[in-house]
Amino acid sequence: EPPPVVATATLPEPFVQALYTPTVIAVGAATSTLPPTAPLPTATLPPTSTMTPPPTVTAAPPPTATGLAPSTRVAALPESGNPLDDGSGNPLTGTGGNESQGESLAAPAAAALARLPATLYYLSDADGVAQVWRARYGLGYPEQLTFDTPGIAAFGVAPDGTLAIITPGGQLVIGGIPFLPPTVQNTAGEDVLPQVTALAWSPAGDWLAYTLATPGAADFPQEGDHRVDGLWMRNRDGETFRLAANRYTGDARRRAITGPLSWRPDGTEILAGIELADGFVYYRVDITTSRLIAVWNDFTLPPSAFLQAHWTRDGSAIIASGGQQIARVNPDDLSVIEALVDLDAGLEMAEAWLFPDGTLVFVGSPINPSPSGPPTGPRRLYRIPPGQRAPLAVTESLTDQGLVGTLWDEAGQRALLVIYDPAESPLGAAYWRDSDGSLLNLTPLSGWVGSPVWGPLFQVGDRARIHTTEGDTLNLRVTPGGDVVTRLVDGQRVTIMGGPLVVDGFRWWRVQTPDQIDGWVVESVINIQGQRLVTLLPVE
């Protein structure tokens, strides 16, 4: 039953819980059943780390970004911000143009970062290479997390804050420790190291799924499955298991698992992007049986018809988008496919998200009927209210030829928009779209942004403070939901020592007080009005 804690802490706005996909593991939850055999030996983890911070970690912020914490580093800023157009040829306020990128824009960007509904993790430029940064909930400034010399091509963050990164050379680093897959011998007798192309943490953070591809392997004719390449999983004990193998034969049996990877919210299977001889498709991969279940067919879901697909938040359906359509797909019966947008909408559609109330949002660009002009027009954000099918543009043009990435809050009211222009750019200009539709440029503080995700509130070693009001205290317990050790008062500082765990619907962190008392506290509680209030807040 819920812990007997009454917290009337009042925040500037309601806190939205569980915006990041992972739902952390509950105490006593069963461990996922492994495939009966491991086809290859377990990869080794050398004891060295490639992510040792250089001495510049405590460098002071540039003078143009005032009011930041002394230890905060600011990502590299674009030389000139491209303003967004309001449709009349005039730039939207706060999106660039003639405004200074110094103090006048850093202050509103900091205010917007402080209002984010959860901690934001993303890639940004530091000293000429991409690194992982985070903007912690409520603090309003970015913090550099990695200092990897070659930079970072992709990353994933576990519920406890553990980072898994892919370097530009395709190597995997987990929690600062390099991970070495088995080598492959090519036709010349040379040892070649496979490269990681995609990764994703399981909802509970106990498994890391990743894909391997050996350079040049697709050019060598061979029979049957490749010895190493394919979809793999690694658990917290360092054991590795291959779920599905790549096939590089030149006929219709060709299959290369490239990603992206998306875990079903219950952690039972993975939605994986796969290249077939006929085009790009998606498969469901059962992690207990290694069974591959096609999410395509030649009639209603042909190859390359949908280029993006992901699970709904409750895991009941798959939302697929691509070309001029968005569909809700029943994963267990491919004949049940619901088109979510009118077929005559005349839009190229991507980045589709369906929210629990039935609202659909996506990025769309008008199809040009003239063969002599560009195939599509300006990209805008569109919304379709519940029960309707006709899209309504809710922004003016965001970009003409680039791409727009979106990261929404849980209710589908606010979003981080990243404009990649040109489209192949790994980093783009970041804007916060508030619930009233206003756009605010974040780049004066965040720098260029890539691959943003909502992530955990804390990592081990972070400092936090207790947040209650009206004299209420927060229970410190021996175990999540267990006996009370002591009661913590509002404002008391603690250090994060472990977690999180989810018990009885509450997320718990293990903390330590300045006088060395250890125990577990809840991250947030529900008040009598049904609002979720944060009781454990980040501090500098």
Side-chain angles (χ1 to χ4, degrees):
E1 59 185 38
V5 177
V6 177
T8 56
T10 302
L11 302 179
E13 55 187 71
F15 176 73
V16 182
Q17 184 211 28
L19 293 172
Y20 50 96
T21 300
T23 51
V24 292
I25 191 168
V27 171
T31 303
S32 300
T33 305
L34 303 178
T37 58
L40 291 177
T42 300
T44 58
L45 292 174
T48 58
S49 170
T50 63
M51 296 171 62
T52 302
T56 55
V57 63
T58 57
T64 56
T66 59
L68 304 181
S71 62
T72 302
R73 296 191 59 183
V74 178
L77 300 180
E79 294 182 0
S80 60
N82 295 321
L84 301 184
D85 195 333
D86 65 0
S88 64
N90 298 316
L92 287 171
T93 301
T95 64
N98 296 325
E99 295 177 279
S100 166
Q101 290 188 6
E103 191 171 323
S104 63
L105 291 183
L113 287 177
R115 295 195 306 270
L116 293 180
T119 296
L120 178 70
Y121 292 72
Y122 61 96
L123 293 178
S124 195
D125 191 357
D127 301 325
V129 294
Q131 303 290 351
V132 180
W133 294 66
R134 69 173 173 175
R136 299 176 66 188
Y137 171 73
L139 295 189
Y141 60 84
E143 172 189 9
Q144 186 175 345
L145 295 183
T146 65
F147 300 83
D148 196 73
T149 303
I152 294 171
F155 76 98
V157 56
D160 66 353
T162 300
L163 289 173
I165 68 171
I166 303 176
T167 69
Q171 303 309 304
L172 179 62
V173 180
I174 306 172
I177 302 176
F179 176 77
L180 301 179
T183 58
V184 177
Q185 195 171 76
N186 61 21
T187 55
E190 303 167 328
D191 287 336
V192 181
L193 192 66
Q195 296 181 352
V196 179
T197 61
L199 54 75
W201 286 100
S202 67
D206 49 352
W207 290 99
L208 178 68
Y210 59 96
T211 55
L212 288 180
T214 303
D219 300 327
F220 301 137
Q222 54 191 333
E223 295 295 330
D225 295 343
H226 191 270
R227 194 180 76 84
V228 171
D229 292 2
L231 175 62
W232 289 74
M233 291 202 315
R234 177 187 183 276
N235 64 18
R236 290 284 187 166
D237 295 326
E239 301 171 303
T240 59
F241 304 89
R242 186 164 65 170
L243 290 175
N246 284 3
R247 297 171 181 163
Y248 296 124
T249 53
D251 57 19
R253 296 178 63 250
R254 174 184 171 86
R255 180 184 71 200
I257 307 173
T258 58
L261 306 177
S262 171
W263 283 81
R264 197 166 189 165
D266 63 5
T268 59
E269 56 184 89
I270 300 168
L271 185 65
I274 296 179
E275 289 282 355
L276 300 181
D278 296 333
F280 182 78
V281 298
Y282 280 89
Y283 274 84
R284 297 161 53 199
V285 186
D286 189 306
I287 69 167
T288 61
T289 65
S290 297
R291 180 188 176 200
L292 271 67
I293 308 166
V295 188
W296 66 276
N297 55 45
D298 290 325
F299 304 102
T300 55
L301 294 171
S304 298
F306 296 103
L307 300 181
Q308 295 176 320
H310 58 83
W311 294 100
T312 56
R313 293 184 184 274
D314 62 1
S316 63
I318 295 169
I319 304 301
S321 58
Q324 300 181 51
Q325 53 187 330
I326 298 173
R328 178 188 177 108
V329 182
N330 184 326
D332 299 315
D333 185 356
L334 295 184
S335 65
V336 181
I337 302 171
E338 178 188 3
L340 299 179
V341 184
D342 285 338
L343 296 179
D344 59 356
L347 296 172
E348 183 88 15
M349 293 174 274
E351 291 286 320
W353 293 92
L354 183 66
F355 294 97
D357 68 351
T359 298
L360 178 70
V361 294
F362 64 93
V363 175
S365 51
I367 302 297
N368 191 341
S370 172
S372 60
T376 59
R379 287 162 175 79
R380 298 179 174 88
L381 195 64
Y382 289 81
R383 176 185 295 269
I384 300 180
Q388 300 184 27
R389 290 165 54 89
L392 174 66
V394 295
T395 66
E396 297 297 336
S397 173
L398 297 173
T399 176
D400 289 334
Q401 301 297 324
L403 294 179
V404 180
T406 60
L407 180 65
W408 289 88
D409 69 5
E410 193 173 50
Q413 297 296 320
R414 300 173 296 167
L416 179 73
L417 307 180
V418 181
I419 302 173
Y420 303 92
D421 196 356
E424 63 273 11
S425 301
L427 305 176
Y431 298 88
W432 179 246
R433 183 182 187 274
D434 224 329
S435 55
D436 61 2
S438 60
L439 288 172
L440 181 66
N441 187 0
L442 299 181
T443 52
L445 196 58
S446 66
W448 294 118
V449 167
S451 307
V453 294
W454 301 123
L457 199 59
F458 301 106
Q459 296 178 337
V460 172
D462 284 344
R463 295 279 292 163
R465 68 178 175 88
I466 306 305
H467 186 223
T468 62
T469 60
E470 300 182 3
D472 294 326
T473 58
L474 187 65
N475 291 329
L476 181 73
R477 299 174 179 269
V478 176
T479 59
D483 295 335
V484 176
V485 177
T486 187
R487 299 178 187 275
L488 306 178
V489 299
D490 178 53
Q492 185 167 345
R493 301 299 176 98
V494 295
T495 301
I496 303 298
M497 305 300 292
L501 296 176
V502 169
V503 179
D504 297 329
F506 291 86
R507 181 175 288 111
W508 299 76
W509 294 90
R510 187 168 72 86
V511 302
Q512 185 179 81
T513 66
D515 50 0
Q516 309 301 305
I517 300 177
D518 279 25
W520 292 81
V521 297
V522 291
E523 176 183 300
S524 60
V525 296
I526 304 295
N527 66 7
I528 57 176
Q529 287 79 30
Q531 295 175 308
R532 183 167 295 275
L533 304 177
V534 180
T535 52
L536 193 63
L537 289 175
V539 295
E540 299 173 3

Coordinates of all heavy atoms in Angstrom, one line a residue, residues 82-149:
N82 N 19.1 30.5 -37.6 CA 18.1 30.7 -38.6 C 16.8 30.9 -38.0 O 16.2 30.0 -37.4 CB 18.1 29.5 -39.6 CG 19.4 29.3 -40.3 OD1 20.0 30.3 -40.7 ND2 19.9 28.1 -40.5
P83 N 16.2 32.1 -38.1 CA 14.9 32.3 -37.5 C 13.8 31.6 -38.1 O 13.8 31.3 -39.3 CB 14.7 33.9 -37.6 CG 15.5 34.2 -38.9 CD 16.7 33.3 -38.9
L84 N 12.8 31.2 -37.4 CA 11.5 30.6 -37.9 C 10.6 31.7 -38.4 O 10.5 32.8 -37.8 CB 10.9 29.8 -36.9 CG 11.7 28.7 -36.3 CD1 10.9 27.8 -35.3 CD2 12.2 27.8 -37.4
D85 N 9.9 31.5 -39.5 CA 9.1 32.5 -40.1 C 7.6 32.3 -39.6 O 7.1 31.2 -39.5 CB 9.1 32.2 -41.7 CG 8.6 33.4 -42.5 OD1 7.7 34.1 -41.9 OD2 9.0 33.5 -43.6
D86 N 7.0 33.5 -39.4 CA 5.6 33.4 -38.9 C 4.6 33.4 -40.1 O 3.4 33.4 -39.9 CB 5.3 34.6 -38.0 CG 5.4 36.0 -38.8 OD1 5.7 35.9 -40.0 OD2 5.1 37.0 -38.2
G87 N 5.1 33.2 -41.3 CA 4.3 33.2 -42.5 C 4.2 34.5 -43.2 O 3.8 34.5 -44.4
S88 N 4.7 35.6 -42.6 CA 4.6 36.9 -43.3 C 6.0 37.4 -43.7 O 6.1 38.5 -44.2 CB 4.0 37.9 -42.3 OG 4.8 38.1 -41.2
G89 N 7.0 36.6 -43.5 CA 8.3 37.0 -43.8 C 9.1 37.5 -42.6 O 10.2 37.8 -42.7
N90 N 8.4 37.7 -41.5 CA 9.0 38.2 -40.3 C 9.4 37.0 -39.3 O 8.6 36.1 -39.2 CB 8.0 39.1 -39.5 CG 7.7 40.3 -40.4 OD1 8.5 40.9 -41.0 ND2 6.4 40.7 -40.4
P91 N 10.5 37.1 -38.7 CA 11.0 36.0 -37.8 C 10.1 36.0 -36.5 O 9.7 37.0 -36.0 CB 12.4 36.4 -37.5 CG 12.5 37.8 -37.6 CD 11.5 38.2 -38.7
L92 N 9.9 34.8 -36.0 CA 9.2 34.6 -34.8 C 10.1 35.1 -33.6 O 11.3 34.8 -33.6 CB 8.8 33.2 -34.6 CG 7.6 32.6 -35.4 CD1 7.5 31.1 -35.3 CD2 6.3 33.3 -35.1
T93 N 9.5 35.7 -32.7 CA 10.2 36.2 -31.5 C 10.9 35.1 -30.8 O 10.3 34.1 -30.5 CB 9.3 37.0 -30.5 OG1 8.7 38.1 -31.3 CG2 10.1 37.5 -29.4
G94 N 12.2 35.3 -30.5 CA 12.9 34.3 -29.7 C 13.5 33.1 -30.5 O 14.0 32.2 -30.0
T95 N 13.4 33.2 -31.9 CA 13.9 32.1 -32.7 C 15.1 32.4 -33.5 O 15.5 31.7 -34.4 CB 12.8 31.6 -33.6 OG1 12.4 32.6 -34.6 CG2 11.6 31.1 -32.9
G96 N 15.7 33.6 -33.3 CA 16.9 33.9 -34.0 C 16.8 35.3 -34.7 O 16.2 36.2 -34.1
G97 N 17.3 35.4 -35.9 CA 17.2 36.6 -36.6 C 18.2 37.6 -36.2 O 19.4 37.4 -36.0
N98 N 17.7 38.8 -35.9 CA 18.6 39.9 -35.5 C 18.9 40.0 -34.0 O 19.7 40.8 -33.6 CB 17.9 41.3 -35.9 CG 17.8 41.4 -37.4 OD1 18.6 40.9 -38.2 ND2 16.7 42.0 -37.9
E99 N 18.4 39.0 -33.3 CA 18.6 39.1 -31.8 C 20.0 38.6 -31.5 O 20.6 37.7 -32.2 CB 17.6 38.2 -31.1 CG 16.2 38.8 -31.2 CD 15.2 37.9 -30.6 OE1 14.8 36.9 -31.2 OE2 14.8 38.1 -29.4
S100 N 20.6 39.1 -30.5 CA 21.9 38.6 -30.0 C 21.7 37.2 -29.4 O 20.7 36.8 -28.9 CB 22.4 39.5 -28.9 OG 23.5 39.0 -28.2
Q101 N 22.8 36.4 -29.6 CA 22.9 35.1 -29.0 C 23.5 35.1 -27.7 O 23.8 34.0 -27.1 CB 23.6 34.1 -30.0 CG 22.9 33.8 -31.3 CD 23.6 32.8 -32.0 OE1 24.6 32.2 -31.6 NE2 23.1 32.5 -33.2
G102 N 23.7 36.2 -27.1 CA 24.3 36.3 -25.8 C 23.3 36.3 -24.7 O 22.3 35.5 -24.6
E103 N 23.4 37.3 -23.8 CA 22.6 37.3 -22.6 C 21.1 37.5 -22.8 O 20.3 36.9 -22.1 CB 23.1 38.5 -21.7 CG 22.6 38.5 -20.3 CD 23.3 39.6 -19.5 OE1 24.5 39.8 -19.7 OE2 22.7 40.2 -18.7
S104 N 20.7 38.2 -23.9 CA 19.3 38.4 -24.1 C 18.6 37.1 -24.4 O 17.4 37.0 -24.2 CB 19.1 39.4 -25.3 OG 19.6 38.8 -26.5
L105 N 19.2 36.1 -25.0 CA 18.6 34.8 -25.3 C 18.9 33.7 -24.3 O 18.2 32.8 -24.2 CB 19.0 34.4 -26.7 CG 18.4 35.2 -27.9 CD1 18.8 34.6 -29.2 CD2 16.9 35.3 -27.8
A106 N 20.0 33.8 -23.6 CA 20.4 32.8 -22.7 C 19.4 32.8 -21.5 O 19.1 31.7 -21.0 CB 21.8 33.0 -22.1
A107 N 19.0 33.9 -21.1 CA 18.1 34.0 -19.9 C 16.7 33.3 -20.2 O 16.3 32.4 -19.4 CB 17.8 35.4 -19.5
P108 N 16.0 33.6 -21.3 CA 14.8 32.8 -21.6 C 15.0 31.4 -21.9 O 14.2 30.5 -21.5 CB 14.2 33.6 -22.8 CG 15.3 34.4 -23.4 CD 16.2 34.7 -22.2
A109 N 16.1 31.0 -22.5 CA 16.4 29.6 -22.7 C 16.6 28.9 -21.4 O 16.1 27.7 -21.2 CB 17.7 29.5 -23.6
A110 N 17.3 29.5 -20.4 CA 17.4 28.9 -19.1 C 16.1 28.7 -18.4 O 15.8 27.7 -17.7 CB 18.4 29.7 -18.2
A111 N 15.2 29.7 -18.5 CA 13.9 29.6 -17.9 C 13.1 28.5 -18.6 O 12.4 27.7 -17.9 CB 13.1 30.9 -18.1
A112 N 13.2 28.3 -19.9 CA 12.6 27.2 -20.5 C 13.1 25.8 -20.1 O 12.4 24.9 -19.9 CB 12.7 27.3 -22.1
L113 N 14.4 25.7 -20.0 CA 15.0 24.5 -19.5 C 14.6 24.1 -18.1 O 14.4 22.9 -17.8 CB 16.5 24.5 -19.6 CG 17.2 24.5 -21.0 CD1 18.7 24.7 -20.9 CD2 16.9 23.2 -21.7
A114 N 14.4 25.1 -17.3 CA 13.9 24.9 -15.9 C 12.5 24.4 -15.9 O 12.1 23.7 -14.9 CB 14.1 26.1 -15.1
R115 N 11.7 24.6 -16.9 CA 10.3 24.2 -17.0 C 10.1 22.9 -17.7 O 9.0 22.5 -17.8 CB 9.5 25.3 -17.7 CG 9.4 26.6 -16.9 CD 8.3 27.5 -17.4 NE 8.3 27.7 -18.9 CZ 8.9 28.7 -19.5 NH1 9.6 29.5 -18.8 NH2 8.9 28.8 -20.8
L116 N 11.2 22.3 -18.2 CA 11.0 21.0 -18.8 C 10.3 20.0 -17.9 O 10.6 20.0 -16.7 CB 12.4 20.4 -19.3 CG 13.1 21.2 -20.4 CD1 14.4 20.6 -20.7 CD2 12.3 21.4 -21.6
P117 N 9.5 19.1 -18.4 CA 8.7 18.2 -17.6 C 9.5 17.0 -17.0 O 9.0 16.3 -16.2 CB 7.6 17.7 -18.5 CG 8.2 17.8 -19.9 CD 9.1 19.0 -19.8
A118 N 10.7 16.9 -17.5 CA 11.6 15.8 -17.0 C 13.0 16.1 -17.3 O 13.3 17.1 -18.0 CB 11.2 14.4 -17.6
T119 N 14.0 15.3 -16.9 CA 15.4 15.5 -17.2 C 15.6 15.1 -18.7 O 15.2 14.1 -19.1 CB 16.3 14.7 -16.3 OG1 16.1 15.1 -15.0 CG2 17.7 14.8 -16.7
L120 N 16.2 16.0 -19.4 CA 16.5 15.8 -20.8 C 17.9 15.4 -21.1 O 18.9 16.0 -20.6 CB 16.2 17.2 -21.6 CG 16.5 17.2 -23.1 CD1 15.4 16.3 -23.8 CD2 16.5 18.6 -23.6
Y121 N 18.1 14.3 -21.8 CA 19.4 13.8 -22.3 C 19.5 14.0 -23.8 O 18.6 13.7 -24.5 CB 19.6 12.4 -21.9 CG 19.7 12.1 -20.4 CD1 18.6 12.1 -19.6 CD2 20.9 11.7 -19.8 CE1 18.6 11.9 -18.2 CE2 21.0 11.4 -18.5 CZ 19.8 11.5 -17.7 OH 19.9 11.3 -16.3
Y122 N 20.7 14.5 -24.2 CA 20.8 14.7 -25.7 C 22.3 14.8 -26.1 O 23.2 14.9 -25.2 CB 20.1 16.0 -26.0 CG 20.7 17.3 -25.3 CD1 21.6 18.1 -25.9 CD2 20.2 17.6 -24.0 CE1 22.1 19.2 -25.3 CE2 20.7 18.7 -23.4 CZ 21.7 19.5 -24.0 OH 22.2 20.7 -23.4
L123 N 22.5 14.8 -27.4 CA 23.9 15.0 -27.9 C 24.1 16.5 -28.2 O 23.1 17.1 -28.7 CB 24.1 14.2 -29.2 CG 24.2 12.7 -29.0 CD1 24.4 12.0 -30.4 CD2 25.3 12.2 -28.1
S124 N 25.3 17.0 -28.0 CA 25.6 18.4 -28.4 C 27.1 18.5 -28.6 O 27.8 17.6 -28.2 CB 25.1 19.4 -27.4 OG 25.1 20.7 -27.9
D125 N 27.5 19.5 -29.2 CA 28.9 19.7 -29.6 C 29.7 20.3 -28.5 O 29.3 21.3 -27.8 CB 28.9 20.7 -30.8 CG 30.3 20.8 -31.5 OD1 31.2 20.1 -31.0 OD2 30.4 21.5 -32.5
A126 N 30.8 19.7 -28.2 CA 31.8 20.2 -27.2 C 33.2 19.9 -27.8 O 33.6 18.8 -28.1 CB 31.6 19.4 -25.9
D127 N 33.9 21.0 -27.9 CA 35.3 21.0 -28.5 C 35.3 20.3 -29.8 O 36.3 19.5 -30.1 CB 36.2 20.3 -27.5 CG 36.3 21.0 -26.1 OD1 36.2 22.2 -26.1 OD2 36.3 20.3 -25.1
G128 N 34.3 20.5 -30.6 CA 34.3 19.9 -32.0 C 33.8 18.5 -32.1 O 33.7 18.0 -33.3
V129 N 33.4 17.9 -31.1 CA 32.8 16.5 -31.2 C 31.5 16.4 -30.4 O 31.3 17.1 -29.4 CB 33.8 15.4 -30.7 CG1 35.1 15.4 -31.6 CG2 34.3 15.7 -29.2
A130 N 30.7 15.5 -30.7 CA 29.4 15.3 -30.1 C 29.6 14.5 -28.7 O 30.3 13.5 -28.7 CB 28.4 14.5 -30.9
Q131 N 29.0 15.0 -27.7 CA 29.0 14.4 -26.4 C 27.6 14.3 -25.8 O 26.7 15.0 -26.3 CB 29.9 15.2 -25.4 CG 31.3 15.4 -25.8 CD 32.2 14.1 -25.8 OE1 31.7 13.1 -25.3 NE2 33.4 14.2 -26.4
V132 N 27.4 13.6 -24.7 CA 26.1 13.5 -24.1 C 26.0 14.5 -23.0 O 26.9 14.7 -22.2 CB 25.9 12.1 -23.5 CG1 24.5 12.0 -22.8 CG2 26.0 11.0 -24.5
W133 N 24.9 15.3 -23.1 CA 24.6 16.3 -22.1 C 23.2 16.0 -21.4 O 22.5 15.2 -21.9 CB 24.5 17.7 -22.8 CG 25.8 18.2 -23.3 CD1 26.4 17.6 -24.4 CD2 26.5 19.3 -22.9 NE1 27.6 18.4 -24.7 CE2 27.6 19.4 -23.8 CE3 26.3 20.3 -21.9 CZ2 28.6 20.4 -23.7 CZ3 27.3 21.3 -21.8 CH2 28.4 21.4 -22.7
R134 N 23.0 16.6 -20.3 CA 21.6 16.5 -19.7 C 21.2 17.9 -19.2 O 22.1 18.7 -18.7 CB 21.5 15.5 -18.6 CG 22.3 15.8 -17.4 CD 22.0 14.7 -16.3 NE 22.9 15.0 -15.1 CZ 22.8 14.3 -14.0 NH1 21.9 13.4 -13.8 NH2 23.7 14.6 -13.0
A135 N 20.0 18.2 -19.2 CA 19.4 19.4 -18.6 C 18.5 18.8 -17.5 O 17.4 18.3 -17.8 CB 18.6 20.2 -19.6
R136 N 18.9 18.9 -16.2 CA 18.2 18.3 -15.1 C 16.9 19.0 -14.8 O 16.9 20.2 -14.9 CB 19.1 18.2 -13.9 CG 20.4 17.4 -14.2 CD 21.3 17.4 -13.0 NE 20.7 16.7 -11.9 CZ 21.2 16.7 -10.6 NH1 22.4 17.3 -10.4 NH2 20.6 16.0 -9.7
Y137 N 15.9 18.2 -14.4 CA 14.6 18.7 -14.1 C 14.7 19.9 -13.1 O 15.3 19.7 -12.0 CB 13.7 17.6 -13.6 CG 12.4 18.1 -13.0 CD1 11.4 18.5 -13.9 CD2 12.2 18.1 -11.7 CE1 10.2 18.9 -13.4 CE2 11.0 18.5 -11.1 CZ 10.0 18.9 -12.0 OH 8.8 19.3 -11.5
G138 N 14.2 21.0 -13.4 CA 14.1 22.1 -12.5 C 15.3 23.0 -12.3 O 15.2 24.1 -11.7
L139 N 16.4 22.7 -13.0 CA 17.7 23.4 -12.7 C 17.9 24.5 -13.8 O 18.5 25.5 -13.5 CB 18.9 22.5 -12.6 CG 18.9 21.5 -11.4 CD1 20.2 20.8 -11.3 CD2 18.6 22.3 -10.1
G140 N 17.5 24.2 -15.0 CA 17.6 25.3 -16.0 C 19.0 25.5 -16.7 O 19.2 26.6 -17.3
Y141 N 19.9 24.6 -16.6 CA 21.1 24.7 -17.4 C 21.6 23.3 -17.8 O 21.3 22.3 -17.2 CB 22.2 25.4 -16.5 CG 22.5 24.7 -15.2 CD1 23.5 23.6 -15.2 CD2 21.9 25.0 -14.0 CE1 23.8 23.0 -14.0 CE2 22.2 24.4 -12.8 CZ 23.2 23.4 -12.9 OH 23.5 22.7 -11.7
P142 N 22.4 23.2 -18.8 CA 22.9 21.9 -19.3 C 24.2 21.5 -18.6 O 24.9 22.3 -18.1 CB 23.2 22.2 -20.8 CG 23.5 23.6 -20.9 CD 22.7 24.3 -19.8
E143 N 24.4 20.2 -18.6 CA 25.6 19.6 -17.9 C 26.2 18.5 -18.8 O 25.5 17.7 -19.3 CB 25.1 19.0 -16.6 CG 26.2 18.2 -15.8 CD 25.6 17.5 -14.7 OE1 24.4 17.4 -14.5 OE2 26.4 16.9 -13.9
Q144 N 27.4 18.6 -19.1 CA 28.1 17.6 -19.9 C 28.4 16.4 -19.1 O 28.9 16.4 -18.0 CB 29.4 18.2 -20.5 CG 30.1 17.3 -21.5 CD 31.3 17.9 -22.1 OE1 31.5 19.1 -22.0 NE2 32.1 17.1 -22.8
L145 N 28.0 15.2 -19.7 CA 28.1 13.9 -19.0 C 29.3 13.1 -19.5 O 29.9 12.3 -18.7 CB 26.9 13.1 -19.1 CG 25.6 13.7 -18.4 CD1 24.4 12.7 -18.6 CD2 25.8 14.0 -17.0
T146 N 29.6 13.2 -20.8 CA 30.7 12.4 -21.3 C 31.8 13.2 -21.9 O 31.6 14.4 -22.3 CB 30.2 11.4 -22.4 OG1 29.7 12.2 -23.5 CG2 29.0 10.6 -22.0
F147 N 33.0 12.7 -21.9 CA 34.2 13.4 -22.4 C 35.0 12.4 -23.3 O 36.2 12.4 -23.2 CB 35.0 13.9 -21.2 CG 34.3 14.8 -20.3 CD1 33.4 14.3 -19.3 CD2 34.4 16.2 -20.5 CE1 32.7 15.2 -18.5 CE2 33.6 17.1 -19.7 CZ 32.8 16.6 -18.7
D148 N 34.3 11.7 -24.1 CA 34.9 10.7 -25.0 C 35.6 11.4 -26.1 O 35.0 12.1 -26.9 CB 33.9 9.7 -25.5 CG 34.5 8.5 -26.1 OD1 34.9 7.6 -25.3 OD2 34.5 8.3 -27.3
T149 N 36.9 11.1 -26.3 CA 37.8 11.8 -27.3 C 37.2 11.7 -28.7 O 37.1 12.7 -29.4 CB 39.2 11.4 -27.2 OG1 39.7 11.6 -25.9 CG2 40.1 12.1 -28.2

